[in-house]
Amino acid sequence: MNVTINQQAAELPDAATVQDALAAITARPPFAVAVNTRFVPNTQYAAHALHEGDRVEVISPVTGG
């Protein structure tokens, strides 16, 4: 299935979840995830199914000033 992860096209297996998308980009905590602009709690990463065309955003905090 084709999705967008952080504004980059990505191909994931059918029935992929948020957890699969995170593995595809080797995300390192801390981060938050939104799918189609809706926040996904970290307790739901393995259960939240993705669909063709979904937009996944992985947002990491930035320190400093």
Side-chain angles (χ1 to χ4, degrees):
M1 111 178 57
N2 293 306
V3 299
T4 303
I5 304 173
N6 288 348
Q7 302 176 0
Q8 300 291 320
E11 189 170 336
L12 297 175
D14 291 341
T17 64
V18 168
Q19 185 170 324
D20 297 319
L22 294 171
I25 63 166
T26 59
R28 292 178 30 191
F31 54 78
V33 176
V35 176
N36 300 326
T37 70
R38 292 182 168 252
F39 172 72
V40 178
N42 62 357
T43 57
Q44 296 297 310
Y45 291 169
H48 189 100
L50 296 175
H51 301 93
E52 182 76 24
D54 277 352
R55 295 179 323 274
V56 180
E57 296 294 330
V58 181
I59 303 141
S60 298
V62 177
T63 59

